[in-house]
Amino acid sequence: MESGKPNLLKNFLVRLLLFGVLVIGVRFAYVVTVTGESCNVGDFCFFSLPENLNFVMSGTGVGSSAIFSSDAGSVPSTTAAATGSVLRRDLYTSKDWIKAANFYSSVFQDLISHGYLSPESKSLCVETPKGQDVFALKEIGVSDSVGIFKKASKPLVINGEAHRIPFGDNTFDFVFSGGGRLEKSPRPLDFASEIVRTLKPEGYAVVHIGAKDTYSFNSFLALFNCCNLLTIRDIDGYDSSMPFIREMILKKECVFLSHGIKKNSHDDENGDKCLVPGYKQDLVRKAEPLIMEEPLKPWLTLKRNIQNVKYLPSMADISFKSRYVYVDVGARSYGSSIGSWFRKQYPKQNKTFEVYAIEADKTFHEEYKKKKAVTLLPYAAWVKNETLSFEINRDAGDKVTDKGRGMGRIQPVKGKIQQVNTMGRYDGEVDKIQGFDFANWLKNTVTEKDFVVMKMDVEGTEFDLIPRLFETGAICLIDEIFLECHYNRWQRCCPGQRSEKYEKTYGQCLELFTELRRSGVLVHQWW
């Protein structure tokens, strides 16, 4: 009977011990899994290496080796000595980790020799999951260095993301982004803006990217407001995932403006006019040739020609754009081109596009209410804001069905218009609609940092809209155009007869395409 008290005490001690183990286990899981911190003794973790275990890198060039040593006579690592922290054996002794650290060490020593980096530079490495670049900086004597990543790996890397760097304005003398991480980012503009924000005036930013083409190169530069490009060099990478690296060195030349606000290049002393940049003209030279001879059957010609179209994303990397926008001017139904062509065939490089459908015909408006991924503008694209008369056009022989309707000719006059059909006469259906200044809307909706694709099918109004785009400079905001030019083509129903619906000739359409390409606009013929 007296043994009850010892058993009770024993049970209490066992439960207390189990509770302590549970507390340690929960703490370990929280530190390592939730916060992403390193597991140190102070965190109640018992899996750390001895404190005298140091990491030693012999040599600084690519191919050098790295070892761990706990011997008293070993040379202490500058990283371990500087931080007094314990490094993980499984990560910091792997062959790939060492190879990367040696590569970055070679890169940074070259930057020191050219004066872009010094041992006194307060340095930041952005989006570095394993911290090889931070380690390399410390190894060569740039001791005031730190890295950020969404999951910390102390002592080299703390919590932080590129689009929201956890440091104040004008903090660092040197900011580095390697591994092509900027071009892989879903938010490249925010990534670049944060680099510029945290960089001191006269400080240097060095970015490694994988893209080679001039289009992506210029898109990259456009992200960095207040920075001038100093030099470019091409170097070999350290692994197969990025065998080629283009190194960009930029210098911050002005005080950073909040949110990257900068005066648009097309708003210059010449007014709103712009010149399409030369690197876009390079793409035009690679485009498919224009069809010089008028096709007898345009729809069949389009079907054959669409196989030859040189889409911009098939010729260049579009990774450095802030947003991706598709504008369908004269969209008609969703399946007319957005669903049947753009969604299925246009090469998007895995980017998500914002889609705008501009369609004045009310027949199609109800359908777009069910398409949440599309923004409908239920107006007519025009050269200014005003009320217009709007013809509902149908080709001869078409039945009066929804599919037979579409945005016809628009003009700034009121009243009913008699539509003459070559197969007979009938009163054309006329509506009053609101026209809007398309060029002005475009300038208020997108920027030069966005990737903008446009399809235009506006029943002859292209001869008004295209000049307006040039006049206002909005043409410089469009990267690629698919244009249907309307002319007095041969009738489907009546061989030898031309449509009286349009006044322009095929030759005039060809002049419009030629002038667009001559100006550096990547335009494709569409029917």
Side-chain angles (χ1 to χ4, degrees), residues 294-295 298 485-489 498 502 504-506 509 527:
E294 179 184 350
C485 186
H486 296 80
Y487 60 96
N488 57 348
R489 64 180 61 168
R498 290 185 180 274
Y502 308 108
K504 303 296 183 181
T505 65
Y506 185 77
C509 282
W527 282 280

Side-chain angles (χ1 to χ4, degrees), residues 132-364:
Q132 301 101 317
D133 41 7
V134 185
F135 177 83
L137 282 170
K138 291 178 176 292
E139 279 292 311
I140 63 173
V142 187
S143 57
D144 194 358
S145 303
V146 68
I148 62 167
F149 191 63
K150 59 185 177 182
K151 186 174 182 180
S153 181
K154 290 187 176 180
L156 302 178
V157 182
I158 66 170
N159 292 96
E161 295 184 84
H163 64 273
R164 191 171 55 248
I165 295 177
F167 294 100
D169 299 354
N170 308 317
T171 299
F172 297 97
D173 303 292
F174 177 84
V175 178
F176 177 75
S177 173
R181 296 182 188 105
L182 194 154
E183 59 195 298
K184 298 172 186 174
S185 170
R187 302 168 66 174
L189 178 59
D190 293 336
F191 193 125
S193 297
E194 282 291 270
I195 287 178
V196 178
R197 180 186 66 79
T198 56
L199 193 64
K200 294 178 181 178
E202 306 299 316
Y204 298 98
V206 175
V207 182
H208 285 178
I209 61 176
K212 295 182 180 181
D213 62 88
T214 55
Y215 180 88
S216 61
F217 165 69
N218 284 276
S219 300
F220 166 85
L221 291 182
L223 297 175
F224 288 87
N225 287 346
C226 297
C227 284
N228 289 329
L229 178 67
L230 299 183
T231 185
I232 308 170
R233 70 166 180 159
D234 295 338
I235 56 180
D236 293 330
Y238 60 88
D239 63 16
S240 58
S241 66
M242 198 171 177
F244 167 88
I245 292 174
R246 175 157 288 178
E247 183 177 81
M248 310 285 194
I249 302 176
L250 305 107
K251 185 177 183 180
K252 183 173 175 179
E253 299 285 3
C254 63
V255 176
F256 179 79
L257 300 177
S258 297
H259 307 296
I261 296 174
K262 185 181 180 181
K263 185 173 180 281
N264 289 330
S265 62
H266 55 72
D267 297 329
D268 55 19
E269 64 275 7
N270 296 320
D272 287 333
K273 294 182 180 180
C274 72
L275 294 175
V276 178
Y279 67 88
K280 288 188 177 181
Q281 295 176 5
D282 292 339
L283 294 173
V284 171
R285 286 189 280 270
K286 298 177 183 178
E288 75 282 357
L290 295 173
I291 299 172
M292 305 303 291
E293 186 175 345
E294 179 184 350
L296 297 179
K297 298 180 179 180
W299 284 103
L300 292 179
T301 301
L302 171 63
K303 190 173 181 179
R304 290 193 296 266
N305 190 58
I306 201 170
Q307 306 301 322
N308 302 320
V309 169
K310 298 291 184 64
Y311 296 102
L312 194 157
S314 69
M315 297 187 286
D317 184 359
I318 62 174
S319 298
F320 296 108
K321 290 297 184 176
S322 176
R323 295 160 59 218
Y324 302 88
V325 179
Y326 174 59
V327 183
D328 195 330
V329 190
R332 299 185 67 183
S333 68
Y334 176 81
S336 178
S337 60
I338 296 175
S340 63
W341 168 70
F342 182 76
R343 295 287 195 197
K344 295 180 179 180
Q345 298 185 44
Y346 190 81
K348 306 175 188 64
Q349 295 188 10
N350 294 320
K351 306 299 181 183
T352 300
F353 278 71
E354 299 173 34
V355 178
Y356 291 90
I358 300 175
E359 177 53 58
D361 192 341
K362 298 176 183 177
T363 304
F364 304 111

Side-chain angles (χ1 to χ4, degrees), residues 60 62 102-112 117 140 176 206 208 233 235-236 245 247:
T60 54
V62 175
N102 284 323
F103 168 78
Y104 288 122
S105 179
S106 177
V107 166
F108 293 142
Q109 288 191 80
D110 188 72
L111 293 172
I112 286 177
L117 177 65
I140 63 173
F176 177 75
V206 175
H208 285 178
R233 70 166 180 159
I235 56 180
D236 293 330
I245 292 174
E247 183 177 81

Side-chain angles (χ1 to χ4, degrees), residues 484-503:
E484 178 172 350
C485 186
H486 296 80
Y487 60 96
N488 57 348
R489 64 180 61 168
W490 297 107
Q491 293 280 43
R492 291 185 185 180
C493 64
C494 315
Q497 293 187 29
R498 290 185 180 274
S499 168
E500 297 180 7
K501 189 186 296 184
Y502 308 108
E503 298 177 355

Side-chain angles (χ1 to χ4, degrees), residues 352-411:
T352 300
F353 278 71
E354 299 173 34
V355 178
Y356 291 90
I358 300 175
E359 177 53 58
D361 192 341
K362 298 176 183 177
T363 304
F364 304 111
H365 293 177
E366 189 67 27
E367 177 185 5
Y368 283 102
K369 292 180 180 179
K370 304 174 184 178
K371 306 295 181 182
K372 296 182 179 180
V374 180
T375 299
L376 172 68
L377 278 69
Y379 314 108
W382 186 232
V383 297
K384 60 181 177 180
N385 300 324
E386 63 177 339
T387 302
L388 303 165
S389 64
F390 165 56
E391 291 182 39
I392 306 299
N393 279 340
R394 289 187 296 274
D395 288 336
D398 278 346
K399 294 181 180 179
V400 183
T401 63
D402 287 349
K403 291 184 178 179
R405 296 166 65 94
M407 185 167 127
R409 288 173 292 179
I410 61 175
Q411 47 191 338

